[in-house]
Amino acid sequence: MISAALLRGPRDFALTQIPEFELADDQVMIQVAACGICGSDLRYYHGENPWALHTLGISLPNPPNIVLGHEFAGKVVNAGAFPALEGKRVAVMSFKTCGMCESCRSGRENLCRNTVHLGHGAGWGTRQYYPGGIAETCPAWGSHCFELPDAMSFEQAAMLDVVGVGVHAARVAGVRPGASVVVFGAGPIGNAIMQASRAMGASRVFVIDTYDVALDIARTCGATLAIKAGHVEPVSAIREANSGNCSFAFDTVGTADTLHKCIGLLAEGGAIVNMAVHDMEMPLKPLALGSERALRTSCNFLPEEFPLSLSLVLSGQINVEPWITHRFPLSEVEKAFDTALNKERHGAFKVMIHPTSGA
Ligand SMILES: [Zn+2]
Ligand SMILES: [Zn+2]
């Protein structure tokens, strides 16, 4: 038996003893050393299914008994068919695509409808329990484990999933050298987009949030200007600091208000990338997208972007250390979720669980 953070149903969440998962032929067993709590984990907690909304474009219920957590790293304790991985410290890419569908065969693996995703209920068929990273051990695909250089910590490695989402979004937008970028929402995804844009050559990166902790972390991570929404009128403040509109706008909030601010700040030929697709109506004048302005969404990341993210973190081009504000052992996972669910009360940004010492 192993201890695992089990979501039995909406808001029914507890540390529970469950049988250790069996290894499939293509899997290795990871002793989890670090696992981040993601915004998606909180959406699952509330009964939403963000995976289905973003990947399938539909709203679906979740199955019961999901072990949450998909941002994790650890040590290989059973290498199965991958003896070279025995005892290695690894970062885990938490999703596996089918390789056979139209999306997979056209280089859009992130849109594979048959994706099997650790910490998410979808793609596994019907099981008693669905595996995830907030547990003492978790099976992962050998081909999806990346050996960590000594200089990279388990916590940094656990953040590669978040970095990958930011890298993909910046590539979807087409961020290029000299670009100016604005990001609405300075949470971990917004911060990752900001830093990925910088790494791809953006000259100026502006972020807007209401949360002081996120704004301070954005400044530490290299924001040109981090603006407190509600305090300052962000559209004119950014226009002034940028001497005009921005080439790219990222919306990690996804409300009508942030969409309209993105449109208001977008230069001719620019692109808006919506990172938070909600099931709701919002008004949009097609005229606002004249002059070849584009509105897109971005979903997860491509397999090749995981090792790219590892390189960007290892080289220091993307700094994830300031993100981690709270650390908890697995025994305090309920407190950890309370901290993440009430981040402003606790001053939290990224909450990290350490299921085992990982030594
Ligand atoms: Zn995540
Ligand atoms: Zn596929």
Side-chain angles (χ1 to χ4, degrees), residues 6-10 12 44 47-49 51-52 60-68 119-131:
L6 193 68
L7 184 67
R8 290 177 292 222
D12 180 6
Y44 283 114
E48 244 191 306
N49 183 340
W51 187 89
L60 282 182
N62 293 310
N65 292 333
I66 303 175
V67 178
L68 291 176
H120 302 252
W124 297 95
T126 303
R127 303 176 147 220
Q128 190 181 2
Y129 298 104
Y130 298 82

Side-chain angles (χ1 to χ4, degrees), residues 2 6-7 25 36 80 185 203 208 273 311 315 350:
I2 57 165
L6 193 68
L7 184 67
D25 291 345
S203 304
I208 298 139
V273 181
S311 301
S315 64
K350 176 59 76 177

Side-chain angles (χ1 to χ4, degrees), residues 309-323:
S309 299
L310 196 155
S311 301
L312 290 168
V313 171
L314 187 65
S315 64
Q317 287 168 281
I318 292 184
N319 181 9
V320 298
E321 272 151 1
W323 296 359

Side-chain angles (χ1 to χ4, degrees), residues 96-105 108-109 111-115:
K96 186 167 111 54
T97 58
C98 76
M100 301 291 286
C101 71
E102 179 62 28
S103 293
C104 284
R105 288 180 167 177
R108 295 182 180 89
E109 291 93 336
L111 303 181
C112 174
R113 301 179 79 83
N114 309 313
T115 299

Side-chain angles (χ1 to χ4, degrees), residues 254-280:
T255 62
D257 178 61
T258 52
L259 173 65
H260 288 125
K261 287 195 166 79
C262 284
I263 290 173
L265 270 170
L266 194 66
E268 294 85 348
I272 298 170
V273 181
N274 177 315
M275 303 298 298
V277 176
H278 299 300
D279 189 4
M280 63 192 245

